[in-house]
Amino acid sequence: MTEWKRNLLIMWFVQFAGMFAISAVFAFIPLYVRHLGIEQWDQVSLWSGLLASSSAIFAAISSPLWGNMADRYGRRIMVIRVMLANTFILSTMGFVANVWQLLGLRILQGIFGGFGGAVMALVTTLTPPEKLGTTLGLMQAALIAGSAAGPLAGGIIADHWGFRAVFFILGAMSFTAGLAAVLIREQFQPPAKEKSPSFGGNIRQMCKEPGLLPLIFVLFLIQFAVAVPSPVLPLFVEQLGASPDDLATIAGGIIAIAGLSSALSAASTGRITHFFSHRTVLLSAAACAAVIIFIQGLAQSTGQLFWLRFLNGLFLGSMLPTANTLISLLIPAERRGAAFGLTHSATLLGNVLGPVTGGLLASFFNIRWVFFFTAFFYVANCIWIYHRVRRRHDPPEAGQH
């Protein structure tokens, strides 16, 4: 096995395990809020949104800094750092006595974030350029699979052994991912001090890169639309008649099926873009997702919601790796830490505003309006892609096979 394939195999596991540990709590956050003493339905929705987004907002702030450090000191060490921090923080969440303590730990988790940007920068610099599309599709599949398997496993563990047991298992999962990252072989050459721009200078350089900012905004819109329903999905499942005894498991399964279909779609994206331009793939996927998410707001049973989430995942899975492939083709390898730090901030900002928006909509209107509102943002993404992501952003061979 060649070294880049060996590194890819290890990074796939690290990405999967890391996202598994980070995302498992989403299946039962509203239920854990109740367990910690919040009883009123509107307050549960609001706290669920705050807890889901608090980590992301601080990670969005810190991610460009960690990305800049990755360009200076190496990407592998940044991955190890965040996984060891998550080991401690997630384990400590199992001991909290109230929602304020949980909120504080979620904020701390965000401050020590930067995992996604470091992973993307590391993978793109270790992969031959002609394999970027396929590799990023596989890495996106790992991210989605971890994000899907985490809530499913978290829901099952919470139903059978209690909420607190989940956090101890997640801490162990993060530690395992950190140990695996040690095995990655990175040939990192630190830049000469006189050639290394300051943090602010690096960010300014990135912002001037032609074509980068429109793609960063695409990533924001994608992640925002994905995150809006996340804090209230378990409550919607309950509203559709799920049994209280199996509520966390059913909610986790519905989250997981969307992740599974997204992972399958992401893994095949590299092949799809051999036949269609990246712009065409982004536009088509966003348009189809808008229709499917709107229909979810009309669902009358958990079975209907299950299959609609499956279809939704198929279209979402192709969007993020396609946009990230375009970004990696725009940015030189030595500056990808800062570039993917910015893109990670954009996706995290979507994670921040999405859950809060979803919680507020559910509080002031009802849960079904959350899905209708999300469909509107997929339409907005279509309009933005059509006008701002031009065909010149595609690599020369896209759509010519």
Side-chain angles (χ1 to χ4, degrees), residues 232-314:
V232 297
L233 193 59
L235 300 176
F236 190 44
V237 171
E238 182 181 47
Q239 195 177 90
L240 290 175
S243 168
D245 294 336
D246 299 316
L247 180 57
T249 300
I250 294 171
I254 287 174
I255 294 171
I257 193 61
L260 174 62
S261 61
S262 291
L264 293 172
S265 176
S268 62
T269 296
R271 294 182 179 181
I272 293 172
T273 53
H274 281 200
F275 301 97
F276 301 97
S277 73
H278 291 77
R279 180 175 179 269
T280 299
V281 172
L282 285 173
L283 266 174
S284 302
C288 293
V291 174
I292 296 299
I293 199 74
F294 184 88
I295 298 173
Q296 284 177 46
L298 305 174
Q300 298 299 314
S301 69
T302 56
Q304 291 176 4
L305 184 63
F306 180 89
W307 289 112
L308 287 167
R309 296 293 291 178
F310 175 83
L311 291 173
N312 199 55
L314 289 176

Side-chain angles (χ1 to χ4, degrees), residues 87-392:
T87 298
F88 171 77
I89 294 168
L90 285 167
S91 299
T92 306
M93 287 180 184
F95 295 103
V96 298
N98 56 59
V99 289
W100 289 103
Q101 292 175 2
L102 184 60
L103 179 62
L105 287 169
R106 291 284 295 171
I107 291 171
L108 192 63
Q109 187 178 29
I111 292 171
F112 284 95
F115 170 70
V119 169
M120 294 301 296
L122 180 57
V123 168
T124 57
T125 53
L126 297 177
T127 301
E130 67 275 12
K131 301 292 185 181
L132 273 176
T134 300
T135 297
L136 290 178
L138 290 171
M139 291 303 297
Q140 186 66 28
L143 184 150
I144 296 168
S147 299
L152 177 60
I156 293 171
I157 296 167
D159 280 340
H160 289 84
W161 292 286
F163 301 117
R164 297 184 188 276
V166 182
F167 293 106
F168 304 137
I169 294 171
L170 299 182
M173 195 81 174
S174 293
F175 184 70
T176 303
L179 288 181
V182 175
L183 302 175
I184 298 166
R185 296 172 185 168
E186 181 188 15
Q187 303 297 326
F188 179 73
Q189 194 70 25
K193 288 187 177 180
E194 63 272 12
K195 293 184 179 180
S196 179
S198 65
F199 171 65
N202 213 354
I203 297 300
R204 285 192 294 272
Q205 257 186 341
M206 290 296 100
C207 291
K208 292 177 182 178
E209 194 71 42
L212 180 61
L213 290 182
L215 287 167
I216 287 176
F217 192 63
V218 167
L219 289 170
F220 164 76
L221 287 173
I222 293 170
Q223 199 59 41
F224 177 85
V226 168
V228 169
S230 62
V232 297
L233 193 59
L235 300 176
F236 190 44
V237 171
E238 182 181 47
Q239 195 177 90
L240 290 175
S243 168
D245 294 336
D246 299 316
L247 180 57
T249 300
I250 294 171
I254 287 174
I255 294 171
I257 193 61
L260 174 62
S261 61
S262 291
L264 293 172
S265 176
S268 62
T269 296
R271 294 182 179 181
I272 293 172
T273 53
H274 281 200
F275 301 97
F276 301 97
S277 73
H278 291 77
R279 180 175 179 269
T280 299
V281 172
L282 285 173
L283 266 174
S284 302
C288 293
V291 174
I292 296 299
I293 199 74
F294 184 88
I295 298 173
Q296 284 177 46
L298 305 174
Q300 298 299 314
S301 69
T302 56
Q304 291 176 4
L305 184 63
F306 180 89
W307 289 112
L308 287 167
R309 296 293 291 178
F310 175 83
L311 291 173
N312 199 55
L314 289 176
F315 301 116
L316 292 180
S318 63
M319 296 179 74
L320 288 173
T322 301
N324 281 321
T325 300
L326 286 172
I327 290 168
S328 65
L329 292 166
L330 283 171
I331 305 298
E334 66 273 11
R335 289 195 284 143
R336 286 183 191 159
F340 282 111
L342 282 174
T343 63
H344 192 50
S345 285
T347 57
L348 288 169
L349 187 59
N351 272 334
V352 171
L353 298 178
V356 171
T357 302
L360 288 173
L361 283 170
S363 296
F364 287 105
F365 300 100
N366 62 56
I367 294 178
R368 294 184 185 275
W369 275 98
V370 174
F371 295 96
F372 302 148
F373 185 84
T374 304
F376 166 79
F377 268 88
Y378 281 118
V379 173
N381 206 354
C382 286
I383 295 170
W384 179 264
I385 293 166
Y386 182 81
H387 288 287
R388 298 302 303 272
V389 179
R390 303 298 184 185
R391 292 187 186 279
R392 68 174 183 271

